[in-house]
Amino acid sequence: MLAPLAACTAALAAASGPFLPGLGAPRPSPHSPGMDDSAVGQEAATQFDSLAEDVLALQIERRIEQLSARPRIYQVDSFLSDEECLLLQAWNQHASAAHAARQPAVAAVHRRMHWIARMPPGHGEQLQVHVFGAGEEQACHSDSVPISAVMRVATVVVYLSDVDEGGELVFPMGEDCAQLRCCHGNSSAVIKVQAKRGRALLFYSHDVDGEWNTLAEHCLCPVLRGQKWIAEAWFRPTLYSGFRDGDTD
C-alpha cells in the first residue's frame, strides 16, 4: 500500500521542506511589519490555494486502488478534472519550462503528481504531454534503464481524454508480449489499464529496497479509433540534474 498521506507528508517535510505548498512552512503573520495590504491579500490567496490543494489530495487519497503489490501499481480516477485535462492539452502546444512558469495550474498538476508518487520537489523530470492517433502504439519497455544510468523510480501517467477504442497500457507481468500480442489476449496475469479521462496510473520501476523490477515493463496498445492524450512525469531517486529554474517541478 502507499504510505499514509500524513506520515508521508511529515517525512518529506522533515527531509526537504513541504510536499504540497503550505504544509509545515512558516508563514508571516498578516500583521507582520512591512506587509502592506496587497501583500496581505496575496498571502491570504496563497493560503487558500494551499488549503484547496491539501483538501483535494485527501479526497484523491481515498480513491487510490492498488492493482499490483509487486511491482507496485496504483490507479485513481478523477485525479484531474475535465477542465485540467483540457488545459494540459492546450498547454502542450507551448510546452516549455518558461511557458509552464506562467501557468500556475500546470505547476499545480505537477505538484499533485509528485504527491501521489511520494516524491519530493526537485526529483521530477519536466511534465510532458503526448497525443497518440489511430494506429500509434509503443513496444514493451521499462522507464528505468539502470545499465544506461537512467534511474526513474516512479512514473505517473494521467489520461487527458477518453479513447473510442484501444490505447490501453499493459503490464505483461513476465508473459510474452512480442508484437503486442498481450493487447489482444485474455491472460489473468496481464494487467491492462483502460484510458479514461482524468484517470491517473502510478507505478514504480524499483522496489522499496531500490532493486530494479523488470515486471514494471509496460506497453502501449495501438489506438484503434479516436485519439489518446496523456500527461506523463518520471521521477528520479535523487535531485534531477536536468531540473532548471522555471520548470514545473
Side-chain angles (χ1 to χ4, degrees), residues 5 9 17-25 50 53-54 57 108 111-112 115 121:
L5 175 63
T9 299
F19 193 43
L20 291 174
L23 291 181
S50 297
E53 286 195 48
D54 296 346
R111 284 195 299 273
R112 201 179 309 160
W115 165 76

Side-chain angles (χ1 to χ4, degrees), residues 101-210:
R102 299 191 295 272
Q103 289 281 348
V106 175
V109 167
H110 205 204
R111 284 195 299 273
R112 201 179 309 160
M113 295 169 90
H114 278 74
W115 165 76
I116 197 172
R118 300 337 198 213
M119 299 300 295
H123 289 238
E125 298 182 28
Q126 184 176 335
L127 178 64
Q128 297 188 26
V129 173
H130 307 285
V131 57
F132 297 83
E136 291 192 277
E137 60 189 32
Q138 195 169 58
C140 293
H141 63 282
S142 175
D143 287 347
S144 188
V145 190
I147 195 171
S148 300
V150 178
M151 295 284 289
R152 290 168 169 162
V153 295
T155 300
V156 177
V157 177
V158 185
Y159 293 101
L160 306 181
S161 68
D162 295 323
V163 179
D164 294 336
E165 186 179 358
E168 301 91 346
L169 189 150
V170 172
F171 296 89
M173 302 298 285
E175 297 207 356
D176 182 10
C177 197
Q179 287 78 53
L180 295 178
R181 67 185 64 181
C182 54
C183 291
H184 313 292
N186 295 311
S187 170
S188 59
V190 171
I191 295 175
K192 187 179 293 187
V193 180
Q194 303 285 337
K196 179 182 179 182
R197 177 181 287 181
R199 170 176 288 169
L201 179 69
L202 162 67
F203 59 91
Y204 293 89
S205 297
H206 292 256
D207 295 331
V208 291
D209 60 2

